[in-house]
């Protein structure tokens, strides 16, 4: 077994059994991996494209949760672009989520598929002779949910990124059935990307909980007009607008995001 081979956690939690059954025997409606667990804040963070700030927003959400005293854990189910450090594979995005989490679990649980090549996941997996499948991911998610009070799952690239010939990131979102937060990288072309992504999320019966604008182009013209056009067309609440930051950090980004009112989000008195 290589260092980056996915390992299915050996647990006997009822939630895990239900999660695996849900994958092996699909229900007519998308199944909730954490079915039977108490109400908590969980979300799936996706984006309009790659390199638009999904990790920054995911880490910022974790930062806000932990700052409020919540036992929170980040999950990056599939990470492509890993390097060996001190005998272990590391991915910068996955490491940022770990750094902002207050619940720490083995990397093969928080990132079941850690792939070396920095390319599309299905290509990186093929190069390593690995097939990305839903069962190890959902099993790992169930263990994270059982150990935490909040889970932030970060997707890969855009919403429909292939993992294999028969499995992609949109199908993973369906299997987890978590509220989705859409990160919009504010740059030329983002309006169409954002609206198509929102349509794809809603068409799968998923809850689009809200969207976050991340200003990634300091020279973006008509930025306010673009945000206004999106606000008129995306049927979900704008959760925040992160300005262009020379040295973005989760703590700084968290100042511009407000998730109060979302299902499971801790109130000020919790």
């Amino acid at each position: 077994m290589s260092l980056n081979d996915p390992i299915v956690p050996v647990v006997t939690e009822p939630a895990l059994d239900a999660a695996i059954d849900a994958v092996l025997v699909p229900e007519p409606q998308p199944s909730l991996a954490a079915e039977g667990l108490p109400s908590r804040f969980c979300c799936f963070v996706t984006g309009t494209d790659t390199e638009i700030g999904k990790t920054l927003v995911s880490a910022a959400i974790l930062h806000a949760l932990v700052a409020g005293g919540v036992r929170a854990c980040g999950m990056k189910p599939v990470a492509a672009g890993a390097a060996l450090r001190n005998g272990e594979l590391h991915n910068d995005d996955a490491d940022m989520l770990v750094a902002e989490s207050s619940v720490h679990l083995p990397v093969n649980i928080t990132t079941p598929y850690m792939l070396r090549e920095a390319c599309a996941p299905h290509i990186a997996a093929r190069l390593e002779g690995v097939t990305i499948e839903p069962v190890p991911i959902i099993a790992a998610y169930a263990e994270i949910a059982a150990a935490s009070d909040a889970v932030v799952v970060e997707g890969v690239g855009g919403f429909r990124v292939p993992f294999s010939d028969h499995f992609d990131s949109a199908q993973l979102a369906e299997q987890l059935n978590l509220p989705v937060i859409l990160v919009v990288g504010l740059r030329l072309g983002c309006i169409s990307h954002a609206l198509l992504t929102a349509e794809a999320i809603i068409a799968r019966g998923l809850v689009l909980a809200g969207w976050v604008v991340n200003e990634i182009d300091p020279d973006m013209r008509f930025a306010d007009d673009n945000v206004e056009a999106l606000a008129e067309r995306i049927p979900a609440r704008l959760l925040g607008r992160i300005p262009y930051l020379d040295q973005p950090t989760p703590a700084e980004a968290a100042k511009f995001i407000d998730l109060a009112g979302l299902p499971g989000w801790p109130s000020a008195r919790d």
Side-chain angles (χ1 to χ4, degrees):
M1 181 180 293
S2 64
L3 286 172
N4 59 314
D5 282 339
I7 301 175
V8 181
V10 180
V11 294
T12 59
E13 304 285 350
L16 174 55
D17 295 337
I20 295 177
D21 288 344
V23 177
L24 299 179
V25 186
E27 298 289 339
Q29 299 296 324
S31 57
L32 178 61
E35 185 176 357
L37 293 174
S39 176
R40 64 191 69 216
F41 179 80
C42 300
C43 68
F44 184 91
V45 179
T46 190
T48 49
D49 203 345
T50 190
E51 301 297 329
I52 50 82
K54 287 190 313 299
T55 304
L56 178 65
V57 171
S58 299
I61 295 171
L62 285 166
H63 181 89
L65 287 164
V66 173
V70 177
R71 297 167 62 253
C73 186
M75 182 184 192
K76 179 83 172 176
V78 179
L84 200 61
R85 300 176 200 155
N86 299 320
E88 291 186 350
L89 283 174
H90 285 266
N91 169 270
D92 289 342
D93 292 350
D95 284 352
M96 183 180 289
L97 298 186
V98 169
E100 295 299 329
S101 299
S102 56
V103 173
H104 299 286
L105 297 169
V107 68
N108 61 282
I109 296 175
T110 54
T111 304
Y113 291 96
M114 184 81 75
L115 306 168
R116 295 173 184 267
E117 194 66 34
C119 61
H122 72 290
I123 298 174
R126 185 182 67 208
L127 291 173
E128 297 186 26
V130 173
T131 300
I132 301 174
E133 298 177 337
V135 170
I137 296 174
I138 294 176
Y141 173 82
E143 183 155 345
I144 294 170
S148 311
D149 295 324
V151 185
V152 177
V153 181
E154 184 195 342
V156 182
F159 184 59
R160 290 204 61 193
V161 173
F163 289 155
S164 69
D165 291 343
H166 307 289
F167 183 44
D168 65 21
S169 58
Q171 291 169 312
L172 173 61
E174 286 182 280
Q175 289 288 349
L176 293 174
N177 196 25
L178 302 176
V180 179
I181 293 176
L182 172 62
V183 180
V184 178
L186 197 62
R187 62 186 177 198
L188 189 62
C190 69
I191 293 178
S192 180
H193 289 169
L195 297 181
L196 287 171
T197 304
E199 283 184 8
I201 292 167
I202 295 167
R204 282 163 175 75
L206 295 168
V207 174
L208 180 58
W211 53 292
V212 176
V213 171
N214 185 33
E215 300 194 27
I216 57 176
D217 181 0
D219 300 316
M220 174 75 177
R221 301 179 65 201
F222 310 111
D224 292 344
D225 300 87
N226 277 259
V227 174
E228 182 179 347
L230 288 169
E232 291 173 350
R233 293 166 174 82
I234 295 179
R237 178 160 65 95
L238 175 58
L239 303 172
R241 180 174 174 177
I242 304 171
Y244 181 81
L245 302 171
D246 288 327
Q247 296 181 321
T249 65
E252 186 65 20
K255 298 176 183 178
F256 302 96
I257 303 173
D258 180 12
L259 276 67
L262 292 188
W265 187 261
S267 65
R269 63 178 181 274
D270 286 346

